[in-house]
Structures are given as structure tokens and as C-alpha cells.
Amino acid sequence: MVVSVKNKYPVLTKVFGEDMSLLTSALKQQFSRDRQISGCVSDLLLKKRQSHGHILSGRKLKFVKVDLVSHREYLIEEKQQSEECLMQLFQQAESLRTLVNTTNYDYSEVKAKMDITYPHRQRLVHEMKPVKHILELYPALSVSNLIIREINVHYDPFDGDIIQTLKSNFTKLFNYTDNPQKENITEDERPFFILEHLIMKRYKHSKKLLLNQEVLDAYPMIQVHKNNDSTNYSIIVEYNQLTITTSQVEAVAILIGSYEIFNIEYPKKIRATLEVLHGLSFKKRSFFLAVAAKRFLSEFKINANV
């Protein structure tokens, strides 16, 4: 600001000095006094402090908190539906919700109805309906094997199976790493180990943005629940639990798959990590991989369309 003032009014250097140090000092003192006057903190200021991890907010992490995710501009191969057709699909969705909430539902019938109502879910996502609203209408998306099936059927993972694809690619990456901690890592623990120590570490991304006990913001993340000898993983989107699993590879698959299902834009703060996960999982995409992700996939000879 001082530089701008100096450039616009050079004559002021005769008053404040060539380096404008007197003006800088005066402004700092004035800003400090103005902050001290604001002793009664407003609700708006408190919310801003909380969202930015202010030292007085009680939050330890300095991450910008968002309430709703951002969406991509368009859906892949979106099919337009007539209003009459959408109404029929909505009725099917209501029928499906009733079916899933039944204790002993017919799994094959649920799969068939999920396939029929897929265009309706696309429409809801295209209209940017909150995730909570979509989950209330389609509780089947909260069942791990059904949401994984949704990913496999509609989002084109390698070999048509995102779980097997990720298992294979995590094994390749695990064999590449020379991290001394790998000797103590079981096969089931490889996904999080690779995600934290190879992918996120490469881009200097905090693992707490994807793997954490506390939900930081609205973007998809894995909430880790440790209870005695067991550990569960909840996939959280817009502060709603999408599903829960005991498998790390399932958790990572649903995490990256949720971005496709709900057409969510990758947040800049972990974009490179998510692009790598996408490249490890899917054959096609609606965006171009950044150079950072391309280099990673090429370096580790991952069979991905870069």
C-alpha cells in the first residue's frame, strides 16, 4: 500500500522520507490501535477467526473452512431428461428409499433401481443439491458395496473395478518406496501409508486434510475412528457421513469416487494429491492432469491415461 502511495504521489517522500518509513510506522500504529478498540468481538469476527484458524479462535490448524463444496462446470456424458421422465424417476427413488430402509431388502432389486434412477441423481448433482439432500433421497449411497458398485458402473475405473485397481497400484507404489517404516506395514495398511508418505509428502500436503479424526471442512475426507483394537473409517462429505468401512482401500476408493459421484471440484490445497488418486483409479476424466500429477504417474510407471 505504501509503495502504491509513493508511486502515485512521489512528492510525499519529502514528508515521510525516501523509503516512506514514517508513513509505514504511522499506519502500523494506527492499525494496532484500531484492533485494540475492537475489544467486544462480534459474531461475524468470531466466525472469521474460526474459519481461518485465528490464534484466538481455539483452532490449532490454519485451514480455511468451507461449508459447501465447489462443483465442476459440467458432468461427464450428462443425459437430459424430460420433466415427466424425471418425475417417474423421483417416484422410483422414493420406492428405492423405502426398500433400502427395510431390514432385509432384496439386494438385486436395489441394484436394479439404482441403475434406473442414475439419471435422476445426475440431475440432482447438476442442480448442485446439497449432499445431505441426495443422501436422504438415496440412502443406498450410504452402503459401502453399493456406492463402490456405483463408482464401478458409471465412472469407468481401470478394469471396471476400483478396489482391485487401487490394490494393484498401491502394491506397485509400496514396492517402489524405500521408507524404513514399510517393514511394519501390513498389506491392509498400504493405502494410507502410500497416501501419506509417498503422495501427500511429495506435494507437502498435510495428511490431516484427507486423514483425520476431526472434520476440517466440507470437502470429502476420511475420518479415522480408533476404538481399542479396531479402526473404522468414515467418508465425510459436506459434514455428512457418506458411509463407513473397516477397509483402507475401500475408504480411499470411496473418497476419490465421491468427487465423481457428486461432481466436486478438487480444492487447490490438495489438488495434486487428488489428481494422482484419480490417475491411479480412472481411465477417463473431465479435466486435464496437471504436470505434477503426470510426472508422478510417469515416474512410477503407473498404467494411467496421462
Side-chain angles (χ1 to χ4, degrees), residues 183-247:
E183 301 301 326
N184 302 318
I185 301 299
T186 67
E187 184 176 353
D188 293 338
E189 295 171 332
R190 288 177 183 175
F192 286 8
F193 180 82
I194 293 300
L195 180 58
E196 177 185 355
H197 295 285
L198 188 61
I199 303 175
M200 300 193 81
K201 184 177 180 180
R202 181 186 182 106
Y203 302 116
K204 297 181 180 179
H205 293 161
S206 170
K207 79 163 189 175
K208 292 182 179 180
L209 292 170
L210 287 183
L211 304 170
N212 199 16
Q213 293 181 338
E214 178 189 359
V215 179
L216 297 181
D217 65 21
Y219 283 93
M221 66 165 293
I222 299 170
Q223 188 175 27
V224 181
H225 308 277
K226 293 186 178 181
N227 184 19
N228 297 327
D229 296 330
S230 64
T231 306
N232 296 321
Y233 312 107
S234 295
I235 294 77
I236 309 296
V237 185
E238 288 186 349
Y239 307 100
N240 297 281
Q241 179 176 290
L242 184 57
T243 189
I244 190 167
T245 178
T246 58
S247 164

Side-chain angles (χ1 to χ4, degrees), residues 126-230:
H126 181 62
E127 293 174 350
M128 299 184 186
K129 297 294 186 184
V131 170
K132 182 179 180 180
H133 173 82
I134 298 173
L135 292 178
E136 287 174 350
L137 192 55
Y138 288 100
L141 290 175
S142 296
V143 181
S144 293
N145 56 353
L146 287 174
I147 194 170
I148 289 171
R149 180 181 181 276
E150 179 100 343
I151 296 167
N152 287 339
V153 171
H154 298 292
Y155 299 100
D156 209 11
F158 289 104
D159 300 321
D161 189 334
I162 192 171
I163 298 299
Q164 294 305 316
T165 292
L166 285 176
K167 280 184 178 179
S168 174
N169 283 331
F170 282 139
T171 297
K172 290 178 184 177
L173 293 172
F174 187 79
N175 292 334
Y176 273 114
T177 183
D178 56 359
N179 190 306
Q181 299 180 44
K182 68 183 290 185
E183 301 301 326
N184 302 318
I185 301 299
T186 67
E187 184 176 353
D188 293 338
E189 295 171 332
R190 288 177 183 175
F192 286 8
F193 180 82
I194 293 300
L195 180 58
E196 177 185 355
H197 295 285
L198 188 61
I199 303 175
M200 300 193 81
K201 184 177 180 180
R202 181 186 182 106
Y203 302 116
K204 297 181 180 179
H205 293 161
S206 170
K207 79 163 189 175
K208 292 182 179 180
L209 292 170
L210 287 183
L211 304 170
N212 199 16
Q213 293 181 338
E214 178 189 359
V215 179
L216 297 181
D217 65 21
Y219 283 93
M221 66 165 293
I222 299 170
Q223 188 175 27
V224 181
H225 308 277
K226 293 186 178 181
N227 184 19
N228 297 327
D229 296 330
S230 64

Side-chain angles (χ1 to χ4, degrees), residues 249-264:
V249 70
E250 281 189 4
V252 174
I254 296 170
L255 172 77
I256 194 63
S258 67
Y259 277 90
E260 303 305 305
I261 291 173
F262 300 110
N263 198 41
I264 299 172

Side-chain angles (χ1 to χ4, degrees), residues 96 110-118 121 138 140-141 150:
L96 175 60
V110 171
K111 289 194 297 183
K113 285 184 177 291
M114 286 292 283
D115 290 342
I116 292 171
T117 54
Y118 174 68
R121 290 193 295 284
Y138 288 100
L141 290 175
E150 179 100 343

Side-chain angles (χ1 to χ4, degrees), residues 1-13 16 20 23 27:
M1 185 172 67
V2 170
V3 171
S4 297
V5 171
K6 179 180 177 181
N7 292 338
K8 191 169 184 178
Y9 306 105
V11 69
L12 290 178
T13 57
F16 297 108
M20 302 289 281
L23 177 59
L27 287 173

